[in-house]
Every structure is written in structure tokens, then in C-alpha cells.
Amino acid sequence: MDLDSKTEDLGPLRAEIEHIDHALVELIAERCRIARAVGRTKHRLGEPVLDSAREAVVIRRAAAHARELAVETETVREMFWLLIRLSRQVQLEEADGKR
């Protein structure tokens, strides 16, 4: 198989992945927007940013959904821990008045 035919085969697939990557970043931005609102509400109510019980629920739910879709669950858990860390960060920024 020559280089041109490899590009023809891979090009459309890579374009689909780029489209999905773009959508993922938009969803992460939306999650951050909502996390900021959560941070403002927690601050107003005098609640701490860290909610370990809630975080555990989010991780378990994501892992269960990954399992249903036959996606490697440990990687999904790691990704969701990163999302939670980002959410905590924006909530803390909101509570500190940095936004």
C-alpha cells in the first residue's frame, strides 16, 4: 500500500476523530462553566469545594457507563479524576473571586 492510499484511508477517520476531539473540548468547557456555578453556590451556602462522597459517585457512574460501552474502565476513571480536579480548580477560583 503506497502513502497516498494510506492517507486516503486514514484521512476521513482522522477527520472524524478531530471532530470528536473538538466536541470533547467544548463539553469540558461547558462542564467548567457549570462547575463555576456550583462553586458560587457552594460559597454562598458555606459548603466546602471538596465533596469526596460526590466525587466517588461520579467516578463509579462513569466507570459503570464505560463498562456498558466496552470501554476500558480504568482509563475512564483516570480521565474523570482529571475532570474532577479541573472542576475543583474552577470552583476554588470562583470561591477566591478570581473569575
Side-chain angles (χ1 to χ4, degrees), residues 76-95:
V76 170
R77 285 178 200 269
E78 291 172 15
M79 291 170 61
F80 269 80
W81 277 119
L82 290 172
L83 289 170
I84 287 170
R85 188 172 79 193
L86 180 58
S87 292
R88 273 194 222 143
Q89 179 183 329
V90 298
Q91 288 181 36
L92 287 168
E93 289 172 359
E94 198 61 42

PDB file of all heavy atoms in Angstrom, residues 76-95:
ATOM      1  N   VAL A  76     -10.993   5.419  31.875  1.00  0.00           N
ATOM      2  CA  VAL A  76     -12.120   6.345  32.065  1.00  0.00           C
ATOM      3  C   VAL A  76     -12.085   6.916  33.477  1.00  0.00           C
ATOM      4  O   VAL A  76     -12.289   8.121  33.673  1.00  0.00           O
ATOM      5  CB  VAL A  76     -13.463   5.653  31.753  1.00  0.00           C
ATOM      6  CG1 VAL A  76     -14.644   6.516  32.179  1.00  0.00           C
ATOM      7  CG2 VAL A  76     -13.540   5.323  30.270  1.00  0.00           C
ATOM      8  N   ARG A  77     -11.803   6.089  34.463  1.00  0.00           N
ATOM      9  CA  ARG A  77     -11.669   6.597  35.842  1.00  0.00           C
ATOM     10  C   ARG A  77     -10.599   7.685  35.909  1.00  0.00           C
ATOM     11  O   ARG A  77     -10.813   8.732  36.522  1.00  0.00           O
ATOM     12  CB  ARG A  77     -11.285   5.468  36.796  1.00  0.00           C
ATOM     13  CG  ARG A  77     -12.378   4.519  37.153  1.00  0.00           C
ATOM     14  CD  ARG A  77     -11.791   3.435  38.084  1.00  0.00           C
ATOM     15  NE  ARG A  77     -12.598   2.258  38.101  1.00  0.00           N
ATOM     16  CZ  ARG A  77     -13.585   2.035  38.950  1.00  0.00           C
ATOM     17  NH1 ARG A  77     -13.876   2.929  39.851  1.00  0.00           N
ATOM     18  NH2 ARG A  77     -14.280   0.922  38.893  1.00  0.00           N
ATOM     19  N   GLU A  78      -9.448   7.419  35.320  1.00  0.00           N
ATOM     20  CA  GLU A  78      -8.359   8.402  35.339  1.00  0.00           C
ATOM     21  C   GLU A  78      -8.787   9.711  34.673  1.00  0.00           C
ATOM     22  O   GLU A  78      -8.491  10.795  35.179  1.00  0.00           O
ATOM     23  CB  GLU A  78      -7.124   7.837  34.641  1.00  0.00           C
ATOM     24  CG  GLU A  78      -6.451   6.712  35.405  1.00  0.00           C
ATOM     25  CD  GLU A  78      -5.343   6.043  34.598  1.00  0.00           C
ATOM     26  OE1 GLU A  78      -4.892   6.609  33.581  1.00  0.00           O
ATOM     27  OE2 GLU A  78      -4.931   4.938  34.992  1.00  0.00           O
ATOM     28  N   MET A  79      -9.475   9.591  33.544  1.00  0.00           N
ATOM     29  CA  MET A  79      -9.937  10.786  32.849  1.00  0.00           C
ATOM     30  C   MET A  79     -10.925  11.575  33.714  1.00  0.00           C
ATOM     31  O   MET A  79     -10.855  12.809  33.779  1.00  0.00           O
ATOM     32  CB  MET A  79     -10.581  10.407  31.512  1.00  0.00           C
ATOM     33  CG  MET A  79      -9.584   9.876  30.497  1.00  0.00           C
ATOM     34  SD  MET A  79     -10.365   9.174  29.034  1.00  0.00           S
ATOM     35  CE  MET A  79     -11.229  10.575  28.380  1.00  0.00           C
ATOM     36  N   PHE A  80     -11.812  10.871  34.384  1.00  0.00           N
ATOM     37  CA  PHE A  80     -12.784  11.570  35.222  1.00  0.00           C
ATOM     38  C   PHE A  80     -12.142  12.174  36.461  1.00  0.00           C
ATOM     39  O   PHE A  80     -12.577  13.236  36.931  1.00  0.00           O
ATOM     40  CB  PHE A  80     -13.973  10.659  35.556  1.00  0.00           C
ATOM     41  CG  PHE A  80     -15.066  10.809  34.545  1.00  0.00           C
ATOM     42  CD1 PHE A  80     -14.988  10.157  33.324  1.00  0.00           C
ATOM     43  CD2 PHE A  80     -16.151  11.638  34.779  1.00  0.00           C
ATOM     44  CE1 PHE A  80     -15.973  10.310  32.364  1.00  0.00           C
ATOM     45  CE2 PHE A  80     -17.142  11.807  33.827  1.00  0.00           C
ATOM     46  CZ  PHE A  80     -17.052  11.147  32.610  1.00  0.00           C
ATOM     47  N   TRP A  81     -11.093  11.547  36.996  1.00  0.00           N
ATOM     48  CA  TRP A  81     -10.374  12.186  38.106  1.00  0.00           C
ATOM     49  C   TRP A  81      -9.755  13.506  37.633  1.00  0.00           C
ATOM     50  O   TRP A  81      -9.747  14.494  38.373  1.00  0.00           O
ATOM     51  CB  TRP A  81      -9.313  11.265  38.711  1.00  0.00           C
ATOM     52  CG  TRP A  81      -9.891  10.304  39.712  1.00  0.00           C
ATOM     53  CD1 TRP A  81      -9.889   8.945  39.643  1.00  0.00           C
ATOM     54  CD2 TRP A  81     -10.569  10.634  40.927  1.00  0.00           C
ATOM     55  NE1 TRP A  81     -10.535   8.420  40.731  1.00  0.00           N
ATOM     56  CE2 TRP A  81     -10.961   9.432  41.539  1.00  0.00           C
ATOM     57  CE3 TRP A  81     -10.886  11.844  41.556  1.00  0.00           C
ATOM     58  CZ2 TRP A  81     -11.652   9.399  42.753  1.00  0.00           C
ATOM     59  CZ3 TRP A  81     -11.587  11.800  42.764  1.00  0.00           C
ATOM     60  CH2 TRP A  81     -11.952  10.601  43.348  1.00  0.00           C
ATOM     61  N   LEU A  82      -9.262  13.535  36.398  1.00  0.00           N
ATOM     62  CA  LEU A  82      -8.731  14.788  35.851  1.00  0.00           C
ATOM     63  C   LEU A  82      -9.834  15.832  35.699  1.00  0.00           C
ATOM     64  O   LEU A  82      -9.630  17.019  36.008  1.00  0.00           O
ATOM     65  CB  LEU A  82      -8.042  14.545  34.502  1.00  0.00           C
ATOM     66  CG  LEU A  82      -6.728  13.777  34.554  1.00  0.00           C
ATOM     67  CD1 LEU A  82      -6.268  13.429  33.135  1.00  0.00           C
ATOM     68  CD2 LEU A  82      -5.664  14.568  35.282  1.00  0.00           C
ATOM     69  N   LEU A  83     -11.000  15.407  35.239  1.00  0.00           N
ATOM     70  CA  LEU A  83     -12.125  16.339  35.111  1.00  0.00           C
ATOM     71  C   LEU A  83     -12.553  16.871  36.480  1.00  0.00           C
ATOM     72  O   LEU A  83     -12.852  18.064  36.633  1.00  0.00           O
ATOM     73  CB  LEU A  83     -13.306  15.659  34.422  1.00  0.00           C
ATOM     74  CG  LEU A  83     -13.139  15.378  32.936  1.00  0.00           C
ATOM     75  CD1 LEU A  83     -14.274  14.491  32.437  1.00  0.00           C
ATOM     76  CD2 LEU A  83     -13.060  16.669  32.143  1.00  0.00           C
ATOM     77  N   ILE A  84     -12.561  15.996  37.466  1.00  0.00           N
ATOM     78  CA  ILE A  84     -12.913  16.429  38.819  1.00  0.00           C
ATOM     79  C   ILE A  84     -11.883  17.413  39.346  1.00  0.00           C
ATOM     80  O   ILE A  84     -12.225  18.435  39.961  1.00  0.00           O
ATOM     81  CB  ILE A  84     -13.073  15.208  39.750  1.00  0.00           C
ATOM     82  CG1 ILE A  84     -14.378  14.492  39.405  1.00  0.00           C
ATOM     83  CG2 ILE A  84     -13.029  15.622  41.216  1.00  0.00           C
ATOM     84  CD1 ILE A  84     -14.555  13.153  40.081  1.00  0.00           C
ATOM     85  N   ARG A  85     -10.607  17.139  39.093  1.00  0.00           N
ATOM     86  CA  ARG A  85      -9.556  18.068  39.525  1.00  0.00           C
ATOM     87  C   ARG A  85      -9.753  19.438  38.882  1.00  0.00           C
ATOM     88  O   ARG A  85      -9.645  20.478  39.547  1.00  0.00           O
ATOM     89  CB  ARG A  85      -8.171  17.510  39.188  1.00  0.00           C
ATOM     90  CG  ARG A  85      -7.048  18.340  39.791  1.00  0.00           C
ATOM     91  CD  ARG A  85      -5.720  17.688  39.609  1.00  0.00           C
ATOM     92  NE  ARG A  85      -5.268  17.933  38.236  1.00  0.00           N
ATOM     93  CZ  ARG A  85      -4.261  17.302  37.660  1.00  0.00           C
ATOM     94  NH1 ARG A  85      -3.606  16.368  38.310  1.00  0.00           N
ATOM     95  NH2 ARG A  85      -3.906  17.586  36.443  1.00  0.00           N
ATOM     96  N   LEU A  86     -10.085  19.454  37.599  1.00  0.00           N
ATOM     97  CA  LEU A  86     -10.348  20.710  36.900  1.00  0.00           C
ATOM     98  C   LEU A  86     -11.567  21.409  37.508  1.00  0.00           C
ATOM     99  O   LEU A  86     -11.551  22.621  37.721  1.00  0.00           O
ATOM    100  CB  LEU A  86     -10.554  20.443  35.412  1.00  0.00           C
ATOM    101  CG  LEU A  86     -10.849  21.643  34.521  1.00  0.00           C
ATOM    102  CD1 LEU A  86      -9.734  22.683  34.598  1.00  0.00           C
ATOM    103  CD2 LEU A  86     -11.062  21.177  33.089  1.00  0.00           C
ATOM    104  N   SER A  87     -12.616  20.659  37.794  1.00  0.00           N
ATOM    105  CA  SER A  87     -13.811  21.242  38.405  1.00  0.00           C
ATOM    106  C   SER A  87     -13.497  21.842  39.768  1.00  0.00           C
ATOM    107  O   SER A  87     -13.964  22.935  40.103  1.00  0.00           O
ATOM    108  CB  SER A  87     -14.911  20.181  38.551  1.00  0.00           C
ATOM    109  OG  SER A  87     -15.386  19.796  37.284  1.00  0.00           O
ATOM    110  N   ARG A  88     -12.723  21.122  40.574  1.00  0.00           N
ATOM    111  CA  ARG A  88     -12.308  21.667  41.878  1.00  0.00           C
ATOM    112  C   ARG A  88     -11.554  22.981  41.697  1.00  0.00           C
ATOM    113  O   ARG A  88     -11.776  23.941  42.427  1.00  0.00           O
ATOM    114  CB  ARG A  88     -11.385  20.679  42.589  1.00  0.00           C
ATOM    115  CG  ARG A  88     -12.073  19.656  43.401  1.00  0.00           C
ATOM    116  CD  ARG A  88     -11.027  18.995  44.303  1.00  0.00           C
ATOM    117  NE  ARG A  88     -11.239  17.568  44.332  1.00  0.00           N
ATOM    118  CZ  ARG A  88     -10.279  16.668  44.367  1.00  0.00           C
ATOM    119  NH1 ARG A  88      -9.017  17.020  44.347  1.00  0.00           N
ATOM    120  NH2 ARG A  88     -10.581  15.399  44.428  1.00  0.00           N
ATOM    121  N   GLN A  89     -10.641  22.984  40.723  1.00  0.00           N
ATOM    122  CA  GLN A  89      -9.830  24.178  40.474  1.00  0.00           C
ATOM    123  C   GLN A  89     -10.714  25.374  40.145  1.00  0.00           C
ATOM    124  O   GLN A  89     -10.537  26.451  40.716  1.00  0.00           O
ATOM    125  CB  GLN A  89      -8.850  23.908  39.330  1.00  0.00           C
ATOM    126  CG  GLN A  89      -7.969  25.075  38.975  1.00  0.00           C
ATOM    127  CD  GLN A  89      -7.084  24.743  37.777  1.00  0.00           C
ATOM    128  OE1 GLN A  89      -6.696  23.596  37.568  1.00  0.00           O
ATOM    129  NE2 GLN A  89      -6.759  25.747  36.995  1.00  0.00           N
ATOM    130  N   VAL A  90     -11.679  25.204  39.231  1.00  0.00           N
ATOM    131  CA  VAL A  90     -12.521  26.352  38.859  1.00  0.00           C
ATOM    132  C   VAL A  90     -13.447  26.735  40.002  1.00  0.00           C
ATOM    133  O   VAL A  90     -13.755  27.918  40.181  1.00  0.00           O
ATOM    134  CB  VAL A  90     -13.295  26.129  37.536  1.00  0.00           C
ATOM    135  CG1 VAL A  90     -12.341  25.935  36.375  1.00  0.00           C
ATOM    136  CG2 VAL A  90     -14.290  25.009  37.620  1.00  0.00           C
ATOM    137  N   GLN A  91     -13.868  25.762  40.815  1.00  0.00           N
ATOM    138  CA  GLN A  91     -14.690  26.092  41.980  1.00  0.00           C
ATOM    139  C   GLN A  91     -13.894  26.888  42.997  1.00  0.00           C
ATOM    140  O   GLN A  91     -14.404  27.861  43.572  1.00  0.00           O
ATOM    141  CB  GLN A  91     -15.244  24.820  42.628  1.00  0.00           C
ATOM    142  CG  GLN A  91     -16.335  24.154  41.826  1.00  0.00           C
ATOM    143  CD  GLN A  91     -16.874  22.923  42.511  1.00  0.00           C
ATOM    144  OE1 GLN A  91     -16.979  22.867  43.730  1.00  0.00           O
ATOM    145  NE2 GLN A  91     -17.236  21.925  41.710  1.00  0.00           N
ATOM    146  N   LEU A  92     -12.638  26.497  43.209  1.00  0.00           N
ATOM    147  CA  LEU A  92     -11.783  27.242  44.136  1.00  0.00           C
ATOM    148  C   LEU A  92     -11.522  28.657  43.629  1.00  0.00           C
ATOM    149  O   LEU A  92     -11.534  29.619  44.397  1.00  0.00           O
ATOM    150  CB  LEU A  92     -10.456  26.508  44.358  1.00  0.00           C
ATOM    151  CG  LEU A  92     -10.547  25.253  45.222  1.00  0.00           C
ATOM    152  CD1 LEU A  92      -9.244  24.456  45.136  1.00  0.00           C
ATOM    153  CD2 LEU A  92     -10.867  25.615  46.664  1.00  0.00           C
ATOM    154  N   GLU A  93     -11.292  28.792  42.333  1.00  0.00           N
ATOM    155  CA  GLU A  93     -11.101  30.108  41.746  1.00  0.00           C
ATOM    156  C   GLU A  93     -12.337  30.970  41.951  1.00  0.00           C
ATOM    157  O   GLU A  93     -12.243  32.148  42.272  1.00  0.00           O
ATOM    158  CB  GLU A  93     -10.784  30.003  40.245  1.00  0.00           C
ATOM    159  CG  GLU A  93      -9.416  29.457  39.947  1.00  0.00           C
ATOM    160  CD  GLU A  93      -9.195  29.173  38.469  1.00  0.00           C
ATOM    161  OE1 GLU A  93     -10.115  29.391  37.672  1.00  0.00           O
ATOM    162  OE2 GLU A  93      -8.087  28.714  38.135  1.00  0.00           O
ATOM    163  N   GLU A  94     -13.490  30.381  41.783  1.00  0.00           N
ATOM    164  CA  GLU A  94     -14.754  31.090  41.973  1.00  0.00           C
ATOM    165  C   GLU A  94     -14.895  31.530  43.424  1.00  0.00           C
ATOM    166  O   GLU A  94     -15.252  32.673  43.714  1.00  0.00           O
ATOM    167  CB  GLU A  94     -15.919  30.181  41.573  1.00  0.00           C
ATOM    168  CG  GLU A  94     -17.191  30.916  41.328  1.00  0.00           C
ATOM    169  CD  GLU A  94     -17.120  31.920  40.202  1.00  0.00           C
ATOM    170  OE1 GLU A  94     -16.533  31.635  39.141  1.00  0.00           O
ATOM    171  OE2 GLU A  94     -17.648  33.036  40.392  1.00  0.00           O
ATOM    172  N   ALA A  95     -14.577  30.632  44.345  1.00  0.00           N
ATOM    173  CA  ALA A  95     -14.671  30.949  45.770  1.00  0.00           C
ATOM    174  C   ALA A  95     -13.671  32.033  46.176  1.00  0.00           C
ATOM    175  O   ALA A  95     -13.958  32.861  47.031  1.00  0.00           O
ATOM    176  CB  ALA A  95     -14.437  29.692  46.611  1.00  0.00           C
TER     177      ALA A  95
END
